[in-house]
Amino acid sequence: MTLPPFGRFFLPGPTDVHHDVLQGMVRGMMPHRGADFEALFARLVAGLQAVFRTRRPVFISSSSATGLMEAAVRATPPGRILAIVNGAFSERFARIATACGRDTVVLDVPWGRGVAPGDLRAALAKGRFAAVTVVHSESSTGAATDIRAVSDLVHEHGAACLVDSVTGIGAAPVETDAWGLDFVLTGSQKALALPPGLAFAVASEGFMAHAREGTERGVYFDLVEFEQYALKHQTPNTPALTLLYALDAQLPRIAAEGIEGRWARHAAMAARTHAWVVEASSETGLDLGVLAPPGERSRTVSAVTLPEGVSGGQVVAGAAARGYVIGDGYGKLKGRTVRIGHMGDHTIDTLDGCLAACLDALREVAPRR
Ligand SMILES: *Cc1c(COP(=O)(O)O)cnc(C)c1O
C-alpha cells in the first residue's frame, strides 16, 4: 500500500499523520474485557497523563471532541452557564449548553481576539453561574486565550471552568493539575497528530464529585461511567480499537520528543508562519495579515486575512495545485481568510514547503505590479 508522503497536509484538523502511526494501526482485534486490553489502556492513560500534566485519570472517548464538550456540560451541576464566544468552536460550546437544556448566557468577544479579563469579570458579576465555557485556541480564528487567567477568575466566582483545548493540548502549555483546571478536553486529530475519532479529557476531583450528584448525564457521554470503568482500565463501551493502536504508536514518539520540546516546536512553527505573512505581503504586494493580534495568537492555527479581490478558495486551490492542503476560512470567515494548521508532527522543514507553495499561489493571484 502506498501512502501519500508525510508533510503536505496542513488542514487545521485533521492534521497529517505520520506513517509509523498509520502503520501502528494494523493490528488484530482483542477483547475489550480482558488483561491485554487493560494493559494497553493503562499504558495509554500513563502516556496521556504526561501530555495533560496530570495525575488524574485521563478519559478516552471513542467520539470526536464535540462528544466530550457535551459530556462536560452534562456533568455540570445545576445552574446557569456562561459561554465565552470568540469564534465558531466556542459558539458550538454555547449551542451544546443550550441544547442540553441549560440556561446559557453568551459573552461575545470579537472573532480573532481572546476575552479581556475585565469583560469576563463584568459578565461574572451579573449573576451566579455554575460553569463557564472557554476555548483555549479558537481554530476558526487562530486566537489564543489565557486559560489559566480565565480559570482563576472563574474560580474566584465559585464556578467551574470547562476548557476546550482541542488545538491547544500537546502544542501549547497546559498544566491541568498545577492550574487547577476543572475540565479540559482535546481531540485526537489536532495537535496530537492522530487520525480522527478519539477524544481525551481530564476532570478534577471536585468537578467529578458534583457530577456524581447530577441526574442529567445521559449514558454515552457520562463522565461518571468513564471514571468507573477507568478504575478497571476499561472503557464503558466498545472502544475504537484501531485508533487506540494508533495512540499506542504515537505516545512513545511524543515522549521521545518530550512535551516541552513539543511546545517549543509549535511556538517556532507559529513564529515562522507569522513572519512569513509579513514577507509574503511585501513579496506579492498583497495586504495580508494575521487575524489575531500579537500576544493572542494560537501556536497551532493561523488565520491569514486576504485583501479584497483574493478569495480563500483561490489560495486553497493554488496550494492544492502544488501538492499542499490548507484550509479555507471557517464559518463567517470563509473566503476572507485561509487557515494554516501548523501542528502535530509538522516541523519547520515541512512548514517551509507549505509556505513556499502558498507564496507561489498568492503570486499567481496578485495583480502584476
Ligand atoms: C476541531 C475542534 C473541535 C471539534 O472537534 P470534533 O473532533 O470535530 O468534534 C472543537 N473545538 C476546537 C477548538 C476544535 O479545533
Side-chain angles (χ1 to χ4, degrees), residues 50 250-259:
Q250 179 67 327
L251 285 170
R253 291 167 36 82
I254 291 175
E257 183 178 17
I259 193 68

Side-chain angles (χ1 to χ4, degrees), residues 279-291:
E279 291 159 24
S281 280
S282 71
E283 286 253 347
T284 59
L286 294 171
D287 181 19
L288 306 167
V290 177
L291 182 68

Side-chain angles (χ1 to χ4, degrees), residues 145-169:
T145 291
D146 181 348
I147 53 166
R148 184 186 196 177
V150 167
S151 168
D152 286 350
L153 276 176
V154 170
H155 286 162
E156 277 175 32
H157 177 83
C161 189
L162 313 178
V163 181
D164 166 345
S165 186
V166 176
T167 52
I169 281 179

